[in-house]
Every structure is written in C-alpha cells, then in structure tokens.
Amino acid sequence: MTEALPTEIELAVVTPDRQVARERVKSVTIPGKSGYLGVLPGHAPLLTELSPGTLSYSETSKTVFLAVTWGFAEVLPGHVIVLANTAERPEEIDLARAERAKQRAEERLKNLSDPELDQERAREALRRAIARIETARHAKSV
Ligand code: ATP
C-alpha cells in the first residue's frame, strides 16, 4: 500500500538565539543559494544553503514573510527545517538600521582600491541589508 502524501508542512525556523516560527503551513518559499525554491507538501527531500532574502510561508488565510540571512534549509516530504543565522519578522525589522547598513556597505564598496577594504564582508553586509529592506517593504505591500 502506498502512503498518503502529506497535505501540510511542519515548518520550523530557528536561529542560534530563538525559534522564530513553528507552524503547520500549506507552502514555503525559501531563498536558496541558487534562487528561490517553492516547497509544497510531499516535496522530495533536499538540503539547500540559504542566501539573504525573504522566506515566506502560507497558512490558510495569510502569508508570512521573514528576512533571513545565511544558513541551511532541510526539506522533507512533510517538514521544512530552516537553520538561519538571523531571521526577523517584518515588524522586528529596524528599517532605518538596515538603510544605514546598506549605505555603509555601499560607501565602502566605492573605494575598491582601498587596501583596508574587505570586499567580501562589505558585499555580504550589503546583501543582508537589502534582504531586510525588501522583506519589510514586501510585507507592507500585501
Ligand atoms: P548591522 O550592521 O546593522 O548590525 P548586520 O547585517 O551586520 O547589521 P547581523 O550580524 O546580520 O547584522 O545581525 C546581528 C543581530 O541584529 C541579529 O540578531 C539580527 O537579527 C539583528 N539585526 C540586524 N539588523 C537588523 C535590523 N535592521 N532590524 C532588526 N534586527 C536586526
């Protein structure tokens, strides 16, 4: 006898500090290393690295957005486990702080010839800031 496919996903999003979400959801969209990955119940197992971006999940009547930075996501047919370095709900995002972080990184990246510049670090900071800004805006627009 074949096992029935799950109709929901048990989603857990955790950071080193806290559990940000633990919900039964209908779908999850993960910002993966090679692009956004849509996951429905019954998805084939996989492991992906996260990229800074917006993770979203849909419950029956609403979609929730989270800004995530680095980490991993494990997808199993009825589960998604996200281990993220940082994850914030839109209402937790300090937009002014993210704008300042973006500006700082952009200023640093203007001086590519500066021997003190850690380019990789500045680019990563820029990506985190953009992920937060876009998540906050996205959540406001729905
Ligand atoms: P900043 O330069 O502003 O500190 P960052 O990208 O270096 O930004 P992280 O190292 O990614 O910050 O995060 C450190 C902690 O601060 C984490 O707990 C993260 O959730 C939180 N955090 C960072 N930026 C913001 C923000 N704009 N709004 C709310 N929380 C933030």
Side-chain angles (χ1 to χ4, degrees):
M1 206 173 79
T2 51
E3 253 183 65
L5 281 178
T7 57
E8 287 188 319
I9 299 166
E10 298 244 12
L11 170 70
V13 181
V14 297
T15 71
D17 305 326
R18 62 188 182 132
Q19 179 171 286
V20 182
R22 187 171 203 100
E23 323 267 355
R24 293 170 90 81
V25 302
K26 301 281 178 203
S27 65
V28 186
T29 302
I30 301 167
K33 195 104 199 248
S34 39
Y36 276 84
L37 170 70
V39 179
L40 293 171
H43 197 288
L46 64 85
L47 191 62
T48 180
E49 258 185 75
L50 298 178
S51 274
T54 306
L55 182 144
S56 62
Y57 55 90
S58 295
E59 297 168 326
T60 313
S61 58
K62 62 169 180 166
T63 301
V64 177
F65 301 94
L66 298 176
V68 297
T69 55
W70 322 101
F72 294 92
E74 183 178 28
V75 176
L76 297 165
H79 293 263
V80 171
I81 301 146
V82 178
L83 306 173
N85 256 15
T86 66
E88 298 109 29
R89 294 178 178 275
E91 63 273 19
E92 294 169 333
I93 295 172
D94 179 340
L95 197 52
R97 175 176 167 181
E99 295 281 7
R100 284 195 302 273
K102 177 171 177 275
Q103 220 169 352
R104 255 192 334 267
E106 282 171 345
E107 285 301 320
R108 289 197 171 110
L109 289 167
K110 277 187 193 159
N111 299 309
L112 289 181
S113 55
D114 178 356
E116 298 286 303
L117 175 69
D118 184 340
Q119 246 194 76
E120 171 97 358
R121 187 172 161 193
R123 282 188 209 291
E124 291 190 348
L126 181 59
R127 293 181 65 195
R128 293 195 299 275
I130 290 172
R132 290 177 173 122
I133 293 165
E134 286 183 349
T135 303
R137 293 215 175 117
H138 200 58
K140 250 192 216 154
S141 71
V142 290

